[in-house]
Amino acid sequence: MATLLSPTAHTMRQRFGEWLKARREDAGVTQLDLSKLLGHSYVSMVSQVERGRSLIPSPDLMAWAGAIKVKPKDFAMQYLYWCHPEVSTMLTGVDPFEKEGLPPIPKGSAANPGGHSAAAKKAKKK
């Protein structure tokens, strides 16, 4: 049985998609252009990422950044902030859930199988 994506994870992915769409449009690149630049013959992947339904495979992050003319580090930091917020917190010390006013992604959800545990909260307070 598939694990459902939590509302928080979906919201975070949608916000990344909004950021991505804005950068793509700033670069003057259509969804079709981006798909072709990434080697796809269809736009559904781009559309799904922009709507928060899919994540970008890690090996493809550099190509996406280059295609929309965003510095790789900036792209990666945005991707981590919105799509892997626990990792972002570890790197930056900024908790995206708190900053965005969203509840943490619950343990066992599709986006967070390990969960946002009480131990992590205790470690953060120290």
Side-chain angles (χ1 to χ4, degrees), residues 21-66:
K21 180 179 179 181
R23 301 297 80 71
R24 177 181 57 73
E25 290 175 343
D26 289 347
V29 177
T30 67
Q31 284 186 343
L32 182 59
D33 294 336
L34 182 54
S35 294
K36 288 180 180 179
L37 287 168
L38 297 170
H40 300 294
S41 57
Y42 50 89
V43 299
S44 63
M45 178 64 173
V46 174
S47 174
Q48 288 179 0
V49 171
E50 287 185 358
R51 289 183 294 129
R53 296 202 163 277
S54 294
L55 293 175
I56 300 169
S58 296
D60 298 343
L61 291 171
M62 184 74 78
W64 282 67

Side-chain angles (χ1 to χ4, degrees), residues 25-118:
E25 290 175 343
D26 289 347
V29 177
T30 67
Q31 284 186 343
L32 182 59
D33 294 336
L34 182 54
S35 294
K36 288 180 180 179
L37 287 168
L38 297 170
H40 300 294
S41 57
Y42 50 89
V43 299
S44 63
M45 178 64 173
V46 174
S47 174
Q48 288 179 0
V49 171
E50 287 185 358
R51 289 183 294 129
R53 296 202 163 277
S54 294
L55 293 175
I56 300 169
S58 296
D60 298 343
L61 291 171
M62 184 74 78
W64 282 67
I68 62 169
K69 302 173 181 77
V70 173
K71 291 179 183 177
K73 181 179 179 180
D74 295 339
F75 190 93
M77 293 305 289
Q78 287 293 321
Y79 187 75
L80 288 174
Y81 181 89
W82 295 111
C83 300
H84 298 285
E86 288 87 356
V87 176
S88 178
T89 300
M90 291 173 69
L91 290 171
T92 67
V94 175
D95 185 335
F97 302 117
E98 285 181 18
K99 189 170 180 182
E100 300 301 320
L102 295 168
I105 298 170
K107 184 176 181 173
S109 73
N112 190 13
H116 198 78
S117 69

